[in-house]
Amino acid sequence: MTWLQQVAIFAAGIAAGGINTIVGSGTLITFPALLAFGLPPVTANVSNTIGLVPGSVSGVVGYRRELQGQRSRLLQLGTASLLGGITGAILLLTMPAAAFKAIVPVLIIAALVLVVVQPRLAAWVKKRRDGGESSAPEHGGPILLIAVFATGIYGGYFGAAQGVLLLGLLGVFVHEDIQRLNGVKNVLALIVNAVSAVIFIVIAEVDWQAVALIAVGSIIGGQLGAKVGRKLSPNVLRGVIVVVGTIAVIRLLTT
């Protein structure tokens, strides 16, 4: 890579680390950047997943106060995320590369739709929460466990907008402050990314230069996201994600 490409990937890592902590769609920043600099789709996805793990840890640390008193919830939902992440990572490595290249545009488009509809989803979640339906299980019940497992499969396979999906599910099934749920979301996404990264390191082809650049950038971004992210306009973040994701889809479909 040229030094300009390295700076671009490092900057993408910072952006992704911050966005993952706040919104949960950072892959739509880093994955297209890696594709733009010539990495094959599977290698780009694997390297991106490994590189974003330190940023996920950084985001969890930033939200540590919101996680207090949620150990039981994290153990239950974290187990579902762990199993889902393992399944998704295995699917990625066992399916042909051509199949992944064909599926990725669909996944990115689906992720972009999730990002765009997030305000409506959040409004619906708030309305449901304000309704005070106290009969819901404390930790979401079996339906949420299944949904988190399925989201883990998606996260282990690709993962863009995994956080958006997790936060929406948690808001629907768990009666809790949205910031505390965001902390849970960060932990669940970290579990999926971390277990996938371990599998990828052992089995897959990794671009370690890209991993290092994204890792350092995402650590910085994770802290920035936790500290100042609530002051940023969600619409601006969503706009950046949609633009970059659209470029990625176009590039994948035309190469």
Side-chain angles (χ1 to χ4, degrees), residues 74-245:
L74 291 171
L75 286 173
Q76 291 184 35
L77 299 178
T79 300
S81 288
L82 178 70
L83 296 175
I86 292 172
T87 304
I90 292 173
L91 285 175
L92 173 67
L93 297 178
T94 54
M95 293 180 65
F100 179 78
K101 187 174 181 179
I103 293 170
V104 164
V106 178
L107 295 179
I108 293 179
I109 291 171
L112 292 177
V113 171
L114 284 173
V115 171
V116 171
V117 302
Q118 187 190 21
R120 290 192 175 214
L121 180 62
W124 181 71
V125 168
K126 184 179 184 301
K127 182 178 179 181
R128 183 182 184 278
R129 185 183 296 113
D130 292 343
E133 298 174 20
S134 57
S135 61
E138 182 182 359
H139 301 316
I143 296 178
L144 179 60
L145 282 174
I146 295 171
V148 169
F149 170 73
T151 304
I153 294 176
Y154 170 73
Y157 188 86
F158 183 55
Q162 175 189 191
V164 175
L165 189 55
L166 282 170
L167 192 55
L169 290 169
L170 290 168
V172 170
F173 289 99
V174 180
H175 289 278
E176 185 62 89
D177 176 77
I178 192 67
Q179 293 300 338
R180 284 171 60 79
L181 292 182
N182 200 35
V184 174
K185 176 266 291 181
N186 287 336
V187 173
L188 298 182
L190 168 61
I191 291 171
V192 172
N193 289 341
V195 71
S196 301
V198 170
I199 294 172
F200 294 156
I201 289 171
V202 174
I203 299 176
E205 180 180 350
V206 180
D207 187 313
W208 288 106
Q209 184 180 28
V211 168
L213 292 167
I214 291 174
V216 176
S218 67
I219 291 173
I220 298 171
Q223 287 300 302
L224 291 174
K227 290 181 178 180
V228 303
R230 298 183 186 96
K231 300 178 182 179
L232 300 178
S233 167
N235 290 333
V236 171
L237 289 175
R238 276 190 290 271
V240 172
I241 293 168
V242 169
V243 170
V244 174

